[in-house]
Amino acid sequence: MAHRIITQIVFVGARVVGRAFSEAWKQASASQQYARQGGKLEPNTSSSAGLTLDEACKILNVKPPKGGTTDLEDVMSRFKRLFDLNDPGKGGSFYLQSKILRARERIELEVKKATEASAREAELKEGWNPKVYKDR
């Protein structure tokens, strides 16, 4: 009698786990197809954070980078102040602290992209100048 109950429990458990696995597989498959068909984030967002540059600037209360340049010292000072104010150990919010961190990262990413693009344009404008060293 006991073996029959144990067998039923094993089969029911296996069925539940199997259904959960198949549903997770279907959801992952649908998500993958959606991404392939062009369901991408808008170009003004960072894929890891999902913050737009506008949101990041509002969170840190700084002006958006003009031409890819901004006062990073001002961004860092505001970041440090807000990050310390929202320290969970001091009664702050971990959620707000993570939003502040993501905002700083987003602004730094935008500035880095613009700096790399301007360096690339300057290199293309100059032309290719290999550095040749004379043998001694």
Side-chain angles (χ1 to χ4, degrees):
M1 185 71 163
H3 67 281
R4 194 179 247 184
I5 294 173
I6 293 173
T7 306
Q8 285 180 343
I9 290 173
V10 168
F11 278 115
V12 169
R15 192 176 339 153
V16 168
V17 170
R19 284 183 183 166
F21 182 78
S22 69
E23 286 299 318
W25 185 271
K26 287 177 189 176
Q27 186 176 5
S29 171
S31 169
Q32 191 176 28
Q33 287 177 352
Y34 176 73
R36 266 193 228 138
Q37 292 174 355
K40 299 175 184 166
L41 293 172
E42 61 185 67
N44 206 17
T45 61
S46 173
S47 62
S48 64
L51 273 179
T52 64
L53 182 61
D54 217 26
E55 289 172 330
C57 291
K58 285 179 184 177
I59 289 170
L60 292 178
N61 195 22
V62 293
K63 294 179 182 173
K66 301 253 182 189
T69 59
T70 189
D71 185 16
L72 286 179
E73 290 178 9
D74 185 36
V75 171
M76 282 306 293
S77 67
R78 290 174 190 261
F79 163 74
K80 287 178 183 177
R81 186 176 61 83
L82 291 171
F83 194 81
D84 290 339
L85 283 174
N86 288 296
D87 185 17
K90 298 177 185 175
S93 168
F94 179 72
Y95 174 76
L96 291 177
Q97 198 178 40
S98 65
K99 279 290 196 184
I100 292 164
L101 176 68
R102 297 295 172 237
R104 186 206 70 193
E105 289 175 346
R106 177 69 171 115
I107 292 172
E108 287 177 346
L109 176 72
E110 195 68 28
V111 170
K112 181 181 175 186
K113 282 182 182 178
T115 305
E116 288 174 356
S118 65
R120 197 175 320 117
E121 287 176 15
E123 185 177 326
L124 288 173
K125 189 182 243 184
E126 283 180 16
W128 187 64
N129 293 328
K131 294 179 182 178
V132 179
Y133 298 100
K134 293 182 180 178
D135 291 329
R136 298 177 199 192

